[in-house]
Amino acid sequence: MCGIVGYVGPKSTVDVLLGGLKRLEYRGYDSAGVSVINQQGDLETRKRAGKLAILVDDITKTPLGEAHIGIGHTRWATHGAPTDGNAHPHLGGTTQKLSLIHNGIIENFAELKSELLEAGAVFASETDTEVAAHLVAAEYDKSGNLIESFRTVVRRLHGAFTILVMHEDEPGVVLAARRNAPLVIGLGDGENFLGSDVAAFVEHTKRAIAVGQDEIVILRKDSVEIENFAGDKVTREEFVIDWDASAASKGGWSSFMAKEIADQPQAVGDTLMARLGSDGNVHLEELASLTSLIPNIDRIILVACGTAAYAAEVGKYAIESWARIPVSVELSHEFRYRNPILTKNTLVVAVSQSGETMDTLMATRFAKEAGANVLSICNTQGATLAREADAVLYTHAGPEVAVASTKAFTAQITSMYLLALHLATARGTHSLNELQEIGRELLKLPAQIAEVLASSDAIRTLGKNFKDAKTVLFLGRNVGFPIALEGALKLKELAYIHSEGFAAGELKHGPIALIEQGQPVIVIVPSPADPDSLHAKVVSNIQEVRARGAQVIAIAEQGDTEVAKYAVEVIYVPKVHQMLAPILTVVPLQIFAMELSAAKGLDVDQPRNLAKSVTVE
Ligand code: F6R
């Protein structure tokens, strides 16, 4: 995890670095630091444990010198506790003229550290990173060539890393290397940037280049060179960032999460835009490279983690029902270690907001090696997953900054509806009329989400009222089941409350023993018009828990008067095609978790122990 930023150019470097770190803070927030080479040619470094605000305060009180080159880091600790000493940058060599930051894990650091200790190196931290700083400094002392020294060292490192380095004696250049961790270049006019993702520099430039695996970047104010670890030049195409810089700021909202929940009509609308016509026809040009595979797909495996995996669960229902292809959902980190059966007719769909989740990346690499085709559903342009997959279907949710995923989730589900309709159309599993009708229902979703948001007072009050709850249970059936799981996850991560999601039908097989007097149970109720009469079954489940003392809060379709008889509160959402209901029913659960967390005085955007982009296995 960790966020990294680098800059060479005429702007005030400290401002550029701190601005970039602010937008990357979601990647890790247990310490932060920057190094610059000031106009006198001296390397200055400042780093502090705790959130970025502590570093900003420190620099405001005692400013760093005016500088036009620098690197910055926001940390999610792996090796060594979050202390000032373990914060990045780390300095290398006895002269301490070299500064280095790192995202990832250097797996062979113990062996390298022993070698350095024997040679007399003195370590100031417990991190794996400092090893790299000392190694590059030692090589530079020998050769006097920074690029060559850096190349020599990165070739020796095992594991995952994005490393940025600069040296007081080479004041015009920042070097960067990447293996199994993200790195993007921002191209400016007389200035250039490096970042873990484009959010780091989107306010300064929209032109970017995604750096490939095992590549080194030589960044100067007016030039950018890329080479592989062997030193051969590499050419990479630039792309235009379609995120608006203002989308990555709070814009007056109390938290990024509040803003991102409110962004959902747009996130879903933008994901549908240009892919779904007003006639309900789906056109996914992005999937052109899979055209010959589609008639032959014998199985789809959706790989993802966390919230993205719950979105995938909803996708499973839609793809199986509409495209009639067998689908399984696998947690990425389990999938690759259990010898799954993959053939050239298996389509693996990797779902990830960041496109950098290491577990999901490893799962896709494994699937590709086994001969399967990989489609990625990803929210971040230029992300590793998007580049490594055979095809990519971008969700257009815009930058998601709050650690708990909200708008990316609804955009992921939307993409899977589009995928399911595309596959169904291509395979002719339903009449075009039926599929177009679903397509036209999809088009209504942005306005319907807006309606849910506009009538959210009751759920907000409930969130506040339940702030002392010790445990909250969530029940759902069919597509409501993954939403129950997602509601429970949101509450765990934001409010640190024990919560569980259950398939409502599973309750009587054990979990009902948990119900005692006053236990809050949130139930996602299917439409009374459901053709499989699931509504009646869920109402029975509600009665079962109520009989044992539960306080039931129902999320139900407008006009469902039956359920009102058994619930202490009913949150109504608009009537929608049964398969599309998750996009609406999840919204009150997001709001519930956010309000409860805020009522407990917790940090909604940056919950403890978490980072948004999990780039370690
Ligand atoms: C929870 C959450 C995580 C992510 C998971 C996968 O709110 O955000 O569970 O969904 O870490 O992340 P991506 O989608 O970036 O692969």
Side-chain angles (χ1 to χ4, degrees):
M1 354 264 238
C2 305
I4 55 147
V5 53
Y7 177 68
V8 193
K11 296 197 173 103
S12 161
T13 298
V14 174
D15 291 348
V16 173
L17 296 179
L18 293 178
L21 290 181
K22 183 76 216 139
R23 283 181 299 278
L24 291 181
E25 205 186 4
Y26 69 83
R27 298 181 63 87
Y29 34 83
D30 59 38
S31 54
V34 294
S35 279
V36 296
I37 299 175
N38 66 24
Q39 294 212 297
Q40 288 68 48
D42 299 325
L43 180 73
E44 286 189 74
T45 296
R46 193 73 57 80
K47 50 190 195 170
R48 289 287 172 265
K51 294 204 170 159
L52 180 65
I54 298 176
L55 177 73
V56 173
D57 256 16
D58 189 304
I59 292 178
T60 310
K61 281 184 197 130
T62 320
L64 290 164
E66 180 64 23
H68 300 294
I69 181 165
I71 55 180
H73 188 267
T74 177
R75 180 170 187 246
W76 186 84
T78 55
H79 291 65
T83 59
D84 285 356
N86 288 333
H88 300 212
H90 290 284
L91 303 182
T94 42
T95 55
Q96 306 267 287
K97 287 180 172 185
L98 176 137
S99 176
L100 182 147
I101 56 176
H102 165 221
N103 166 31
I105 293 178
I106 298 171
E107 284 167 3
N108 57 336
F109 91 99
E111 162 196 331
L112 296 170
K113 188 166 180 173
S114 311
E115 175 190 314
L116 284 159
L117 286 170
E118 257 172 53
V122 179
F123 280 80
S125 77
E126 304 149 283
T127 63
D128 51 339
T129 304
E130 197 183 348
V131 165
H134 286 302
L135 282 174
V136 184
E139 285 294 329
Y140 184 67
D141 287 347
K142 277 192 262 166
S143 72
N145 182 327
L146 191 60
I147 300 174
E148 199 181 293
S149 308
F150 189 53
R151 204 185 288 135
T152 306
V153 172
V154 293
R155 284 202 295 243
R156 294 192 65 196
L157 305 180
H158 301 168
F161 52 85
T162 300
I163 291 178
L164 265 58
V165 70
M166 46 178 220
H167 197 289
E168 200 179 279
D169 294 344
E170 309 270 349
V173 66
V174 174
L175 301 180
R178 84 159 281 246
R179 168 178 290 167
N180 295 330
L183 178 63
V184 191
I185 303 166
L187 301 168
D189 196 5
E191 60 180 354
N192 289 306
F193 306 80
L194 291 162
S196 296
D197 69 43
V198 297
F201 48 72
V202 67
E203 80 170 295
H204 304 289
T205 180
K206 292 277 173 74
R207 293 170 52 215
I209 295 178
V211 180
Q213 178 75 337
D214 285 2
E215 287 177 0
I216 288 177
V217 181
I218 302 152
L219 192 93
R220 297 191 170 85
K221 74 176 169 26
D222 40 26
S223 72
V224 172
E225 292 165 72
I226 308 176
E227 57 177 50
N228 60 23
F229 282 7
D232 307 317
K233 295 281 166 245
V234 172
T235 312
R236 294 245 161 237
E237 268 189 31
E238 92 178 59
F239 65 92
V240 177
I241 304 166
D242 65 11
W243 284 358
D244 177 7
S246 65
S249 71
K250 250 192 263 182
W253 291 87
S254 57
S255 63
F256 276 106
M257 187 175 178
K259 172 178 181 285
E260 288 161 10
I261 289 174
D263 277 349
Q264 290 182 104
Q266 180 159 4
V268 169
D270 287 353
T271 301
L272 295 174
M273 205 191 317
R275 292 163 167 168
L276 181 60
S278 54
D279 51 3
N281 274 322
V282 173
H283 316 273
L284 296 182
E285 275 164 26
E286 302 94 321
L287 267 53
S289 62
L290 302 177
T291 306
S292 59
L293 173 73
I294 290 176
N296 303 317
I297 298 173
D298 56 11
R299 186 170 171 224
I300 293 180
I301 304 175
L302 301 168
V303 292
C305 302
T307 287
Y310 299 146
E313 289 285 354
V314 177
K316 174 173 97 172
Y317 285 91
I319 298 169
E320 285 200 338
S321 175
W322 298 338
R324 307 303 296 147
I325 302 171
V327 182
S328 55
V329 178
E330 305 262 359
L331 292 171
S332 315
H333 37 89
E334 288 294 320
F335 167 71
R336 121 172 226 252
Y337 294 105
R338 63 165 191 78
N339 203 8
I341 299 159
L342 300 166
T343 71
K344 63 179 181 8
N345 291 331
T346 311
L347 178 66
V348 170
V349 182
V351 187
S352 172
Q353 186 284 129
S354 60
E356 300 294 349
T357 298
M358 186 56 79
D359 290 319
T360 304
L361 267 174
M362 289 306 191
T364 36
R365 284 179 192 159
F366 170 84
K368 281 192 80 168
E369 275 163 28
N373 289 275
V374 175
L375 165 69
S376 81
I377 293 182
C378 176
N379 193 45
T380 312
Q381 274 181 293
T384 310
L385 188 62
R387 282 181 293 116
E388 293 192 6
D390 298 301
V392 51
L393 185 60
Y394 279 111
T395 47
H396 294 303
E400 192 179 63
V401 178
V403 166
S405 188
T406 53
K407 64 176 178 173
F409 177 73
T410 40
Q412 282 161 349
I413 296 177
T414 306
S415 301
M416 275 177 286
Y417 292 147
L418 289 172
L419 173 64
L421 290 175
H422 180 82
L423 295 173
T425 311
R427 291 169 67 112
T429 46
H430 287 73
S431 75
L432 199 55
N433 265 346
E434 281 173 276
L435 299 174
Q436 286 171 329
E437 203 176 305
I438 301 170
R440 288 193 294 272
E441 287 295 307
L442 263 176
L443 287 170
K444 295 182 192 160
L445 283 173
Q448 290 170 323
I449 304 171
E451 213 180 303
V452 177
L453 291 168
S455 54
S456 59
D457 288 353
I459 193 74
R460 286 179 199 280
T461 309
L462 280 173
K464 293 183 184 97
N465 291 350
F466 279 94
K467 83 173 185 6
D468 297 320
K470 294 279 170 286
T471 164
V472 179
L473 304 181
F474 293 78
L475 303 182
R477 251 184 132 117
N478 193 268
V479 284
F481 173 37
I483 299 308
L485 296 172
E486 172 62 2
L489 176 60
K490 287 281 100 63
L491 207 51
K492 283 180 199 140
E493 64 180 330
L494 288 168
Y496 320 150
I497 287 181
H498 173 254
S499 47
E500 292 291 334
F502 296 108
E506 186 66 8
L507 208 64
K508 55 189 178 299
H509 298 286
I512 199 160
L514 290 169
I515 307 291
E516 54 188 21
Q517 200 57 39
Q519 170 65 54
V521 179
I522 302 189
V523 186
I524 296 101
V525 184
S527 164
D530 180 86
D532 299 323
S533 341
L534 281 177
H535 180 266
K537 293 196 170 65
V538 170
V539 170
S540 299
N541 297 139
I542 292 178
Q543 281 166 327
E544 286 155 16
V545 293
R546 238 177 54 108
R548 289 160 178 86
Q551 294 186 71
V552 173
I553 298 152
I555 314 291
E557 184 180 286
Q558 274 161 11
D560 183 350
T561 46
E562 180 65 13
V563 79
K565 297 180 200 155
Y566 311 111
V568 289
E569 183 90 43
V570 186
I571 305 297
Y572 285 109
V573 298
K575 188 169 167 47
V576 68
H577 185 293
Q578 176 238 347
M579 192 67 80
L580 311 186
I583 299 251
L584 303 183
T585 53
V586 75
V587 176
L589 306 190
Q590 296 166 340
I591 296 173
F592 180 76
M594 177 180 70
E595 292 296 340
L596 205 151
S597 166
K600 287 179 82 170
L602 300 174
D603 186 335
V604 169
D605 285 336
Q606 296 178 338
R608 71 183 177 201
N609 303 341
L610 294 173
K612 186 151 189 72
S613 185
V614 185
T615 55
V616 291
E617 273 193 278

